[in-house]
Amino acid sequence: MPKLHLRFSSSVLPFRVAISCLLTAVIVTAALVIEAGYFIGNYCVHFGLERGTAENPQEPPRAYALLMPPEARHFDKPNYASENWNIESEDGIYLAATHFKPERATDKWVIVAHGYGCTQQNSYYIAEHYLSMGYHVLTPDLRASGLSGGRYLTLGYRESEDIVLWAKKVAELYPQAKIVLHGVSMGAATVMMAAGREDLPPEVVAAVEDCGYTNADELIAMQMENSFGLPAFPAMNLLNWRCEKVAGFNLHDAAPIDAVRHARVPILFIHGTKDTLVPPNMAEQLYAAANAPKKELLMIPGAVHAAASQADQQTYFRTIRKFVQPYMEEQK
C-alpha cells in the first residue's frame, strides 16, 4: 500500500499559529478581566459598605467618612427621658436603639431610621419634633452603624428585617401602640421595604419615607456613571458579584419600588426638588408604583438630599401630622 504524505501549505501554518495566539490572548485577557473585576468589586464593597477601621470599629464606610469627618458628626440629644433598648437580628447581630418617652402617656409611636453611614444621632432632629407632638420615639442604630453590630450595610435589604423586629418589640411591650415608620435616605428605603413585608406587625399603621431611592442597583449605577464615568456594564456586574460573596446580598435585593407595589400600610413620600444624590423623579416613580391603602407625595422646593425637614420644617411636619392623624387616634 502506498504511503500517504500530508503536506501543509505555507498559508495553513501561519493560520494555525494565528489561531493559537488568538486563543492565548483571549485566555490571558479573560484572566486579567476577572482579576481586575475581583479587585474593583472588592474595593467598591469595602469602600462603600464595610464599616470599621483598626482604630475605630464603629467608623462608618470610607465613602461616608470622606464626606462627613468625625468633627462634623455632632447632634444634640432630645431632652426627654430615655432608655437603651437592644435586640438580636434574625442572623444573630446585636442591634441597639434608644427609646425616648414623651411628657404624657400615649399610644403613639414612631421608629425613625437613619440614612447611609449615619447613626441614630442623625435621627435626633426628627425625633425631637415627634416628641413635641406627643409620640414615643425609638431611634435604632441600623446594622453596621453606631452601637449596633454587623460589618456590612445592605442598603435597606436586611435593615428592613431589623425594623420589623423593632416594631414587634414595641408591640410586645406596648400592646396598644400605633406605630409610624419614618426613614430618611437609606432609612427611607428600609421603611418602604418593611412596609411591604408579610411579617409587618398590625401595630404599624403608616410609613413616612424621605428621599428614598427606587432601588440600590439603579442608584449606584447612576452614581458610577455620573461621578466616575464608569458604564453600568460591566461595573455593576462586577460589584454585585463581589457584593454577594462578601456582604451576602445582591444590590437588586434592595428594591423599595418592588416593596411599595404590595405595601400593607399608607405611605407618605417626601422629596426635595434639588436632591442631586437621589433624583426627585425617583420619588415620583415610587409614588406611581405604590399600591398602598393610601398614599401622598410631598415635594419640598429647593431642598437638597436629606434636608427637606430643615428646608421647610413647618410644611414637612404639618403634612406628616395630617397624613397619620386618622391612624393615630387615641382609644377611648
Side-chain angles (χ1 to χ4, degrees), residues 26-331:
V26 168
I27 293 171
V28 171
T29 301
L32 291 174
V33 168
I34 292 173
E35 184 177 355
Y38 182 91
F39 173 79
I40 294 171
N42 264 8
Y43 177 82
C44 290
V45 169
H46 294 305
F47 182 75
L49 300 178
E50 183 182 28
R51 71 99 168 250
T53 63
E55 297 76 21
N56 180 12
Q58 294 179 2
E59 183 70 7
R62 283 176 288 167
Y64 177 85
L66 290 176
L67 299 174
M68 188 69 69
E71 59 270 17
R73 303 176 208 158
H74 175 73
F75 305 90
D76 293 329
K77 187 175 182 179
N79 188 24
Y80 287 78
S82 65
E83 60 184 357
N84 297 327
W85 282 18
N86 65 80
I87 57 174
E88 186 175 291
S89 72
E90 292 182 354
D91 53 346
I93 293 175
Y94 172 87
L95 300 174
T98 302
H99 167 213
F100 293 96
K101 301 177 182 179
E103 295 176 351
R104 297 180 180 180
T106 180
D107 293 332
K108 297 189 295 186
W109 279 78
V110 64
I111 302 175
V112 185
H114 62 74
Y116 165 84
C118 302
T119 70
Q120 65 170 289
Q121 293 183 11
N122 296 76
S123 302
Y124 286 168
Y125 175 77
I126 289 174
E128 185 86 43
H129 285 273
Y130 275 104
L131 285 161
S132 70
M133 291 190 288
Y135 282 68
H136 287 269
V137 180
L138 191 70
T139 56
D141 280 324
L142 301 180
R143 62 172 55 215
S145 303
L147 298 177
S148 290
R151 186 175 177 184
Y152 296 100
L153 306 177
T154 67
L155 302 178
Y157 176 55
R158 294 290 184 190
E159 290 85 351
S160 67
E161 298 176 356
D162 303 337
I163 285 294
V164 168
L165 291 179
W166 281 121
K168 289 179 177 180
K169 170 89 169 181
V170 170
E172 176 187 348
L173 297 177
Y174 296 83
Q176 302 303 314
K178 291 175 284 293
I179 307 167
V180 173
L181 304 181
H182 185 131
V184 179
S185 191
M186 188 188 81
T190 297
V191 162
M192 286 187 281
M193 296 182 70
R197 290 180 58 91
E198 293 185 358
D199 57 348
L200 187 72
E203 289 79 7
V204 175
V205 297
V208 178
E209 78 84 19
D210 178 351
C211 65
Y213 38 84
T214 52
N215 61 68
D217 187 82
E218 180 181 353
L219 179 67
I220 294 175
M222 180 190 69
Q223 291 298 332
M224 276 191 167
E225 184 173 347
N226 293 343
S227 301
F228 304 105
L230 294 174
F233 177 82
M236 291 305 300
N237 302 72
L238 299 174
L239 175 56
N240 254 323
W241 169 43
R242 295 313 300 160
C243 196
E244 287 186 326
K245 295 294 184 182
V246 177
F249 81 109
N250 189 302
L251 292 173
H252 292 286
D253 295 331
I257 197 164
D258 294 336
V260 298
R261 290 190 174 105
H262 44 89
R264 295 175 171 271
V265 295
I267 303 178
L268 172 60
F269 299 87
I270 304 176
H271 217 97
T273 62
K274 295 296 183 181
D275 192 334
T276 56
L277 181 62
V278 179
N281 71 326
M282 283 195 171
E284 296 168 353
Q285 293 175 47
L286 287 164
Y287 175 78
N291 190 28
K294 179 184 176 183
K295 61 182 179 180
E296 187 175 329
L297 174 62
L298 172 65
M299 304 298 291
I300 300 292
V304 297
H305 187 68
S309 61
Q310 294 148 323
D312 192 344
Q313 172 185 309
Q314 185 176 5
T315 300
Y316 187 94
F317 290 103
R318 183 180 65 236
T319 304
I320 291 173
R321 189 184 299 110
K322 182 179 178 181
F323 183 82
V324 304
Q325 190 271 336
Y327 317 106
M328 306 301 290
E329 296 290 346
E330 298 286 351
Q331 291 186 357

Side-chain angles (χ1 to χ4, degrees), residues 13-32:
L13 287 175
F15 177 75
R16 295 182 65 187
V17 172
I19 290 295
S20 177
C21 291
L22 178 60
L23 290 174
T24 301
V26 168
I27 293 171
V28 171
T29 301
L32 291 174

